[in-house]
Amino acid sequence: MPAKRAFRYRFHPSEAQAAELSRTFGCVRKVCNLALQAREDAWTLRGQRVGYEATSALLTVWKRTEELAFLAEVSSVPLQQTLRHLQTAFTNFFARRARFPRFKSRKRSRASAEYTRSAFRWRDGALTLAKMAEPLDIRWSRPLPEGAVPSTVTVSRDPAGRWFVSLLCEDPGVRPLPATDSVVGIDVGLDHLLVLSTGEKIGNPRHERRDRTALARAQRALCRKQKGSGNRAKARVKVARVHARIADRRSDFLYKITARLVRETQTLVIEDLAVSNMVGNRRLARAISDAGWRQFRQLLQYKANWYGRDVIAVDRWFPSSKLCSACGALAAAMPLGVRTWACVCGVTHDRDVNAARNILAAGLAVTVCGAGVRPQRNPPGGQSATKQKALRREP
């Protein structure tokens, strides 16, 4: 079956198109906040659950009021889509897959609008949105798949003032790659972004550190500007452009690394890290965020699903660094400053390479016997699949 794939492009709207899209972004945000408030009030005051159908009926009522009559001036499809997205957010919340939906902020929330087939025209490679007379001036950095017709179009504007359009299409070119026998364990880090069980180390580019001086200069200039002034708005855009440049370089690097790993390897074993908890460490939060561990896993997962590869996540509490990959002995302690250590069996380990090898072994144990990889304190059936013995180093 062809895979659904989004193709994202820059575009440059005319003044009329930019004004129309800005109004649409504001209306989408307003409708989302009104619907969220209505659902909260219904549950708090009357103990009722309000679904998509009820909020859709409320939208019709809001358009007929004098205060919210401006909602009828933009395309109704993005407004309906934001109600559907809100329903999905509540579904994920009740299934404990996400947090409770939050109100959208004009300054902090993403400015975007989603159009379905009834709200845009695709003809001869030209895209025209509802309420617009001319097609968008899209910069086609890469071609769409031959014969592809967008099913959904999402228009967005980032804080740096750049406009993007994302076209969701069926891509027949996404198909499983030929199966191989290669397996690899991956340990993520800060000194090296990735360390493979083969011994290969992929350096950490530290994109944010490279632009830290330019970012600090732009932020100082922003702080000197008077709030609400035009110069402050220009300074804010300059800060956003530095952040956008950092994020773009990080994404480009991670896309290339994950593509290479998926192309060359059949089974990839990684750690199930709680990145949101780890950034609570004030000393490491900036470096962890700059490394992009969460984005790396997301890219690796969906690329593996596309191309028929397997990704195995090892439990975050598995002692991959303290466990000897040669004899299975477990060291008593392993501070972060220790990069090499010697086991009592006589083998000297590179901390990261040893961790990658242990991650690989634990992941393969899961695929073979279905056992857990987390060392159990009180195993119900005796010892776990990975035999471990705590060791104390001799003074």
Side-chain angles (χ1 to χ4, degrees), residues 55-74:
T55 54
S56 180
L58 285 175
L59 176 59
T60 304
V61 176
W62 294 333
K63 290 181 179 180
R64 294 173 180 173
T65 62
E66 182 178 356
E67 182 183 1
L68 301 175
F70 61 88
L71 296 177
E73 298 176 1
V74 300

Side-chain angles (χ1 to χ4, degrees), residues 266-277:
Q266 179 66 37
T267 303
L268 304 106
V269 187
I270 60 177
E271 282 186 292
D272 184 21
L273 298 177
V275 180
S276 58
N277 295 338

